[in-house]
Structure formats: structure tokens, C-alpha cells
Amino acid sequence: QVQIVESGGGLVQPGGSLRLSCTTSGFQFSSYAMRWYRQAPGKERELVASITRFGASTNYTDSVKGRFTISRDNYKNTVYLQMNSLKPEDTAVYFCNAHGERRWGSFREYDYWGQGTQVTVSS
């Protein structure tokens, strides 16, 4: 059974830092790209950061570049999001997503989601 559990969210002051963790089990972690999404109240879900299977490549949405860092530990089946210099507009529920693709035989996509963790940056 696939399990994805985020932790590390909370209430912080502007300029503060948090590290989110996403622990996983039930699938071959190293075969999946990992992503962090966020969704603020009344807004569309946004892709924040992504990392390839072995961590060779990362991508970030413009609003977090230079402040957030995504990383993964394939020995622990865990993904992290280090968030520095937090701003009130970073307030959202943050979701961890595992994305896998099969390109042999019939094409198939796999997406597994965690329950989300709340990040609140007070102003």
C-alpha cells in the first residue's frame, strides 16, 4: 500500500525558515520524480518544486527561486523542501507528489499524493 506523509509545517514569522519532509513507502521510490505543490485558500494548486529520480535536476517556480531547495534521499525514501526567507504569500497547504511514467508497452502515468501540511507565515 502506497503511503506518503508530509510533516514539518507550522506557523512562522516572515523571514523565518521551515523544512518540510515527505516520507514514503509502498512503491519503488527511486523510480519516481518527486514534486512539491502548494495551494493557498481560494487559489489554484501550484507546482513549487520538482526533482528527478536521482536528484540530478531540480526546477522551481519563479516566486521561490533562491529561497527554497528541494532534495531527496533515496536511501530513506524521503523528499525535503527547505524553505528560507519565508513570506506571507508562501502561506498554503503543501502537498508531496510522486510522479512515475512507464514508457514501455502501453504508456502509463502514476501519481501518488500525500495529505498535505499547513504552512502559515504571519504578517
Side-chain angles (χ1 to χ4, degrees):
Q1 179 168 287
V2 172
Q3 289 190 312
I4 298 179
V5 181
E6 302 97 333
S7 62
L11 174 64
V12 297
Q13 296 285 81
S17 297
L18 284 174
R19 189 177 77 155
L20 306 184
S21 297
C22 173
T23 59
T24 73
S25 63
F27 65 100
Q28 191 169 358
F29 181 79
S30 62
S31 294
Y32 286 74
M34 299 299 297
R35 301 164 172 172
W36 285 98
Y37 288 80
R38 68 185 181 188
Q39 188 165 26
K43 297 183 180 178
E44 184 177 290
R45 184 173 293 188
E46 174 188 29
L47 176 61
V48 177
S50 61
I51 187 167
T52 53
R53 292 179 298 149
F54 298 100
S57 181
T58 58
N59 284 283
Y60 303 90
T61 191
D62 286 343
S63 63
V64 309
K65 286 180 179 176
R67 300 189 297 120
F68 289 12
T69 303
I70 187 171
S71 61
R72 68 190 295 161
D73 185 340
N74 283 0
Y75 294 101
K76 297 183 180 295
N77 296 339
T78 300
V79 181
Y80 305 95
L81 186 67
Q82 178 67 46
M83 305 186 295
N84 299 325
S85 302
L86 283 162
K87 304 175 180 179
E89 51 263 45
D90 295 318
T91 296
V93 177
Y94 284 71
F95 297 92
C96 181
N97 164 248
H99 178 72
E101 296 179 356
R102 287 177 172 172
R103 296 182 179 273
W104 44 264
S106 59
F107 180 81
R108 186 180 297 182
E109 294 182 70
Y110 296 87
D111 281 282
Y112 304 122
W113 294 86
Q115 81 290 344
T117 186
Q118 177 71 49
V119 172
T120 301
V121 185
S122 66
S123 60

